[in-house]
Amino acid sequence: MLSLDTRRELALALTAILKRSNIATAAQSLSSSFHRHFSCSRNWRQKKIFDLQVYVSRSRSPYWNLSYEDYLFKKFPVYTSYSSSSTQVPKKILFLYTNHRSVIIGRNQNPWRETNVEFLRRHNVPLIRRRSGGGTVFHDDGNVNYSVMMPGNMFDRDEHAQLLCTALNPVFNQRGEETSLSVNERHDIVDQNGRKVSGSAYKLQRGKAYHHGTMLLNSRLDLLSNLLHHSVDGGLEVVEGPGVPSIRSAVSNIGISNETFTDAVILAFKREYTAGSENAVKVMYVDEGSMTKEEAPEINKSIEELQSWEWTFGSTPKFVHRFLLQDSTPAVSFTVKEGTILDLESDLPEFTAIKDRIIGTPYRGPEVASIINSKLWKERLIRSI
Amino acid sequence: MSYQKSILMASTNMAAFRSRLPAAARSTRFVPLLCNRFYSNTSPKTIASLFTVRRTAPLTSPFTVSSRRGYVNGKDEELPEGLRYTEEHEWLALEDGNLAVVGITAYASKALGDVVYVELPSVGTSIVAGEPIGAVESVKSASDIYSPVSGEIIEVNEQLDKKPGLVNAEPYRKGWICKILMKDTTELESMMDNKGYETFIASS
């Protein structure tokens, strides 16, 4: 039997339905009254109010989007335990962006191990190293990325992933689809078949943290498997060395449009983190053209760094890259640190001859190929390095 | 069972407890290892450690690194003596006067999860207190480490390249991150000691 309060609220809501012809709003007030009842009586949880800011990017450039995300994080205030006061409203930023086709690797990963560098080059897909940790992901126009920035003492890996699930599951229900999302132990969002639809990464700094992730809506999964098919899987290359490995999972699209996703997520965040009035949150649309004079130099500098070879390939942790012949015998091994060749091991004459010259050169296809004389190896190394 | 219960009851009254210790132990400094946080169950192993008294010899400097190795029970679960801590969960131990050894605490490494990679700073970099000196990456999250003091980095723990898990397994011993030659030892005074750090963790 429902309590007196709930019955009163229901009665009010029903009269509202009769009075107004706008069914959607009445339904919303009904559901919100139910929500309030259940959350109050079952597990009372004080709703934490945030100063929520929502940014939606109109740009599709992965360099610009990642740089803007870094900029937002840099400008996010630092909340340390000694500076936080109970009266201060903590800030939370939600940033949603979509990138053109690209492959993004984690900060401490090895691109040769994680991606098929040759395939990337052939299809002109940019490879970008982001600043947060984690594994390798594929971005394209059918994938919307979300980034949530929060104070450091409120860092939680699952909270926002769970919120996304609760935001999206009603959408599938309404459409009659059987898709149902949940969060697994690895903090990934998976569908009812256990296929991954979203991968997350986190970054913790003094007093603040962010959680960002992908959401596969209508992505080209066929390209994904080819691009993230490691160079080493072909059997002709071996990469040894530290670095964060990617964990492979079966993936799936959830099949809603970018706009539907964006709207659902913004609504869910508004409901959860603000007092709920319609104009509690202003959504800001940003792109290259909306940068102010103060923002532009920093963001552009960040874009340049992301595009540089030194950051993308040169900052790979020390590794050994071994090339094999068709019969799986090792042909040559390059030991590379900070983008320069430290050592070369080979039994083949074409490499032992140039060993002294090659040590110290940057580990880039054209440079390495210019030192080697063998035509076959020139071609192979230009493609693979 | 009653034996264990009597120990716990006695421990709430320090004076009564100390009077039951052997005479020699009564007079030395004794760090009570009674935090429930660290002992979730009262197994004989943990009870035994309550009676082991750390005798700290008179020290010339406030903390020495020899005490870093004198753990009671090999597990790095309670805070070793003689270290200083920052609010970012880094610990610092002094070796030979000016040389500071820096790492992250067990609390931080537990919160991060399995560490898969440690970004070490370069030897020879001169840093200012509060600057980032690298990062620790666990499954999915990259967390920056900040230098507690100013000085020059003269050594980094290369073992972490191959075995980043040392940060989880032995955060205070083999999982050290770098050694800094300090310029100014007065910076240490503003850092927390064991008690301060324990209170800090409890309140966060």
Side-chain angles (χ1 to χ4, degrees), chain B residues 79-141:
Chain B
L79 300 175
E81 269 197 75
L83 304 190
R84 294 264 159 167
Y85 306 89
T86 65
E87 296 217 346
E88 308 304 318
H89 307 286
E90 289 115 17
W91 58 262
L92 182 149
L94 263 194
E95 244 178 51
D96 314 323
N98 252 12
L99 191 60
V101 187
V102 172
I104 65 168
T105 62
Y107 178 83
S109 69
K110 261 197 211 124
L112 280 173
D114 288 332
V115 173
V116 292
Y117 188 75
V118 181
E119 254 181 71
L120 295 166
S122 330
V123 173
T125 336
S126 68
I127 32 128
V128 172
E131 267 183 17
I133 46 166
V136 175
E137 186 170 344
S138 68
V139 184
K140 290 196 207 172
S141 50

Side-chain angles (χ1 to χ4, degrees), chain A residues 71-245:
Chain A
Y71 177 77
L72 282 176
F73 191 56
K74 231 184 279 184
K75 293 292 173 228
F76 193 83
V78 168
Y79 294 87
T80 47
S81 52
Y82 50 82
S83 73
S84 66
S85 55
S86 53
T87 51
Q88 188 187 33
V89 177
K91 194 168 168 185
K92 193 176 277 242
I93 291 184
L94 170 67
F95 179 42
L96 295 163
Y97 57 98
T98 306
N99 291 329
H100 281 317
R101 192 179 297 169
S102 50
V103 170
I104 319 279
I105 58 174
R107 177 150 178 195
N108 297 309
Q109 290 203 296
N110 188 317
W112 292 280
R113 187 167 33 207
E114 304 299 332
T115 67
N116 194 336
V117 178
E118 197 179 330
F119 194 89
L120 276 173
R121 286 224 179 89
R122 225 181 318 141
H123 294 260
N124 255 329
V125 178
L127 174 71
I128 304 170
R129 183 188 293 269
R130 62 175 184 269
R131 292 194 175 86
S132 71
T136 307
V137 283
F138 169 70
H139 287 184
D140 69 359
D141 296 292
N143 157 30
V144 176
N145 302 290
Y146 60 90
S147 177
V148 185
M149 299 176 194
M150 65 205 99
N153 52 4
M154 294 183 198
F155 175 65
D156 190 305
R157 289 197 173 89
D158 290 325
E159 183 185 339
H160 304 104
Q162 196 53 58
L163 183 60
L164 280 176
C165 294
T166 40
L168 293 172
N169 284 334
V171 176
F172 302 124
N173 264 341
Q174 269 176 7
R175 292 178 178 205
E177 290 167 17
E178 55 166 36
T179 321
S180 160
L181 303 179
S182 56
V183 182
N184 73 1
E185 334 66 56
R186 289 200 73 240
H187 319 291
D188 293 328
I189 302 180
V190 293
D191 69 0
Q192 73 281 12
N193 299 321
R195 286 174 202 246
K196 190 165 152 179
V197 301
S198 163
S200 304
Y202 311 84
K203 182 158 169 69
L204 295 136
Q205 252 184 33
R206 172 181 286 146
K208 51 186 168 175
Y210 72 75
H211 162 199
H212 64 183
T214 57
M215 183 62 74
L216 293 172
L217 304 174
N218 296 292
S219 203
R220 289 285 303 273
L221 299 181
D222 50 334
L223 281 180
L224 187 156
S225 59
N226 282 329
L227 289 167
L228 302 190
H229 167 96
H230 313 169
S231 305
V232 303
D233 284 351
L236 294 178
E237 284 174 39
V238 176
V239 174
E240 287 164 19
V244 175

